[in-house]
Amino acid sequence: MIAQNLAHIQEQITQCECHSETQSAVKLLAVSKTKPIEDILTAYEAGQMAFGENYVQEGVEKIQFCQQQQIELEWHFIGPLQSNKTRLVAEYFDWMQTLERAKIADRLNEQRPPHKAPLNVLIQVNISNEASKSGVQPDDILPLAKHVENLPHLRLRGLMAIPEPTDDVVQQEQTFRQMHTLFEGLQQALPHAQIDTLSMGMTDDMQSAIKCGSTMVRVGTAIFGKRV
């Protein structure tokens, strides 16, 4: 079932790319939080290479298992990160998508093993201005981005957002277009940086996100089924 789900989603992504306003190539991140390692291996056998985890310890255990099996996957941390957990993210993950504070960036930079490639980071933007959501305000993107640029063990790759859920497609697209405008602004402000990733869109709003310029969608439920 997981393999069939992946094939179906990839087909949807391809169709959406054809109608995208930006013609961006879109990467699928399989959100595997709370899912057993068997599900991840099934997805891997079906060709999926990039996985997203929300909880540090759970993610590290899965990464360690795959390393022991000599299975090389790409691991993204996509949850809120507390200061006392930065070392594990710096040591084990390939991407950190939820950066919102310079202090966390500094700790990740200090704790990234020197033999590893720089940790790819995305700045999380609280685009819907929700009190309960993490992320920076749009005006705070550039100061944090410039701070990250000076950290040698981090590589700024772009922006990430989790907009407020809505069934209103017009509202969805308006919010995603705002994010894409911010993304383009960051590219223009930092022309020498590798700003190539706009992570937005999940199972329920993936199509709108791709239409408006997303380059990475984070899909869990449509791949692995609902969390029990």
Side-chain angles (χ1 to χ4, degrees):
M1 183 62 77
I2 289 173
Q4 290 174 311
N5 291 345
L6 277 167
H8 178 63
I9 293 162
Q10 288 288 8
E11 190 178 323
Q12 283 186 307
I13 288 173
T14 301
Q15 290 173 351
C16 291
E17 284 174 341
C18 295
H19 300 100
S20 166
E21 296 165 7
T22 59
Q23 297 293 300
S24 298
V26 180
K27 180 172 183 170
L28 172 61
L29 183 70
V31 178
S32 47
K33 64 177 180 181
T34 75
K35 297 299 176 184
I37 192 70
E38 291 79 12
D39 286 3
I40 293 171
L41 296 178
T42 300
Y44 163 66
E45 287 163 5
Q48 179 65 27
M49 300 299 291
F51 294 86
E53 291 285 332
N54 284 57
Y55 308 112
V56 177
Q57 197 62 49
E58 179 192 345
V60 167
E61 288 170 7
K62 292 173 180 176
I63 294 168
Q64 288 175 328
F65 178 88
C66 290
Q67 287 175 342
Q68 289 162 5
Q69 302 298 314
Q70 297 186 315
I71 297 171
E72 288 193 26
L73 301 177
E74 182 178 284
W75 294 95
H76 295 236
F77 185 74
I78 57 173
L81 183 59
Q82 298 167 317
S83 298
N84 63 346
K85 297 285 180 68
T86 54
R87 182 174 296 280
L88 289 171
V89 171
E91 289 180 349
Y92 284 96
F93 284 82
D94 304 297
W95 286 69
M96 196 288 194
Q97 292 208 17
T98 51
L99 186 66
E100 60 171 347
R101 287 188 288 154
K103 177 187 174 184
I104 296 292
D106 290 339
R107 289 179 66 89
L108 290 167
N109 179 65
E110 290 163 11
Q111 295 166 342
R112 183 69 170 173
H115 67 274
K116 286 200 159 193
L119 178 67
N120 297 293
V121 297
L122 301 179
I123 293 172
Q124 182 174 355
V125 183
N126 188 351
I127 192 63
S128 302
N129 200 25
E130 294 176 83
S132 61
K133 284 268 175 71
S134 302
V136 302
Q137 295 297 311
D139 288 346
D140 296 325
I141 293 171
L142 192 55
L144 182 54
K146 287 181 174 178
H147 183 83
V148 173
E149 262 215 310
N150 291 318
L151 301 175
H153 302 298
L154 303 185
R155 181 179 291 131
L156 180 65
R157 297 292 295 272
L159 303 176
M160 177 267 213
I162 309 172
E164 186 174 16
T166 175
D167 294 328
D168 184 341
V169 175
V170 173
Q171 177 62 45
Q172 269 181 7
E173 293 183 3
Q174 183 179 354
T175 303
F176 287 138
R177 285 197 183 93
Q178 286 176 335
M179 275 302 303
H180 190 260
T181 298
L182 294 171
F183 176 65
E184 287 185 317
L186 184 61
Q187 288 177 316
Q188 291 164 6
L190 302 176
H192 302 298
Q194 189 181 348
I195 310 296
D196 57 6
T197 302
L198 178 56
S199 173
M200 62 182 190
M202 299 188 285
T203 295
D204 293 333
D205 57 9
M206 177 182 82
Q207 293 173 328
S208 292
I210 294 172
K211 178 182 176 183
C212 299
S214 172
T215 71
M216 182 184 293
V217 291
R218 309 179 304 273
V219 179
T221 303
I223 297 172
F224 299 109
K226 293 195 184 306
R227 293 198 296 280
V228 179

